[in-house]
Amino acid sequence: MITQGDVQRTYRVGHVDDHETVQLGFAALLSQCPDISLEASVSSVRELSSVADRLDLVVLDVRLSDGSTVENNVAWLREQGINVLVFTAADNAGEVRAASRAGVLGIMRKSESRGVIVDAVRQAALGNPVVTTDWAAALDSDPELAAAGLSPKEQEVLAHYASGDKSIAVAHRAGLSSSTVAEYVRRIRHKYAMVGRPAHTKVDLYKRAVEDGILPPPNS
């Protein structure tokens, strides 16, 4: 949730799309948002090199004409510490699934309303997941989302912890000590890493919980 303090900040955004009309349309869409600064609008991810250190978010098309893949593009952006929101026509399910696996914060259709897109940009710039029906459908149809094999107790701990509870609150709810909760979280991260679904941050754990049906998507 965006707090009153967050509303006052400026979200610094880069846009990658190889269609000039889409670039112009996205720029126009953000032009009336004084809290969002479009720092760069380019046709390839590597063109962001000179501004990468000041970006909070990159809004990325999954298919670019430079021959790059969404997996490699997202990996490079994440290495720079930049959040990624996919902005797509969503006409290729395989590419949408690849984007989801690559670690994006959400998948947004280009046909969505201005208000929905702007809110998604703000949320993703803050590092919050943007769960849409396209994102959920990509997860449901993805055969490569290997099960982590969490025990019922691990699922309970994950549900509380990924929902935002502090360790002491999770301990109280699950009937465990705080040190045991920390061990459970460490074990959960390890299990996801072992099946190729790393969860280094609390946001990652939230995404894994949603992917596996342990938590419902926001606003569901």
Side-chain angles (χ1 to χ4, degrees):
M1 179 179 295
I2 298 175
T3 67
Q4 185 174 359
D6 290 324
V7 172
Q8 304 305 314
R9 64 170 288 176
T10 298
Y11 305 96
R12 300 166 300 176
V13 175
H15 181 216
V16 182
D17 195 296
D18 55 6
H19 293 88
E20 184 179 8
T21 52
V22 177
Q23 291 183 1
L24 292 172
F26 188 71
L29 184 147
L30 298 183
S31 64
Q32 299 179 41
C33 303
D35 60 333
I36 301 176
S37 172
L38 184 59
E39 302 286 314
S41 187
V42 297
S43 58
S44 70
V45 164
R46 294 310 174 105
E47 291 178 72
L48 294 173
S49 297
S50 63
V51 297
D53 62 343
R54 64 174 187 262
L55 294 178
D56 299 309
L57 175 72
V58 164
V59 177
L60 174 70
D61 193 5
V62 294
R63 186 186 304 172
L64 301 173
S65 58
D66 63 356
S68 62
T69 65
V70 66
E71 296 96 333
N72 289 340
N73 285 334
V74 174
W76 186 85
L77 291 166
R78 296 300 297 133
E79 286 171 3
Q80 317 307 309
I82 305 170
N83 296 312
V84 184
L85 176 68
V86 161
F87 193 46
T88 178
D91 55 357
N92 186 305
E95 290 173 341
V96 171
R97 287 196 296 268
S100 179
R101 290 195 302 269
V104 302
L105 285 174
I107 297 167
M108 182 63 49
R109 279 185 181 267
K110 293 176 179 178
S111 58
E112 287 285 4
S113 67
R114 177 184 178 276
V116 169
I117 293 169
V118 169
D119 185 60
V121 168
R122 291 189 178 114
Q123 291 288 349
L126 287 170
N128 297 329
V130 179
V131 182
T132 61
T133 54
D134 287 298
W135 190 73
L139 299 176
D140 288 343
S141 62
D142 194 343
E144 295 187 30
L145 283 181
L150 301 186
S151 69
K153 199 64 174 179
E154 287 168 341
Q155 292 185 39
E156 181 185 359
V157 169
L158 175 59
H160 292 310
Y161 185 75
S163 294
D165 285 349
K166 302 291 186 182
S167 293
I168 190 169
V170 177
H172 177 73
R173 291 174 182 273
L176 302 169
S177 68
S178 294
S179 60
T180 302
V181 168
E183 174 58 24
Y184 266 98
V185 172
R186 185 201 64 77
R187 192 184 309 162
I188 290 165
R189 292 188 197 277
H190 177 71
K191 285 189 173 183
Y192 277 118
M194 291 299 290
V195 295
R197 301 167 63 196
H200 302 300
T201 68
K202 204 164 190 175
V203 169
D204 291 333
L205 285 172
Y206 173 82
K207 290 179 66 178
R208 300 295 170 256
V210 172
E211 290 168 359
D212 291 346
I214 297 169
L215 286 175
N219 305 317
S220 65

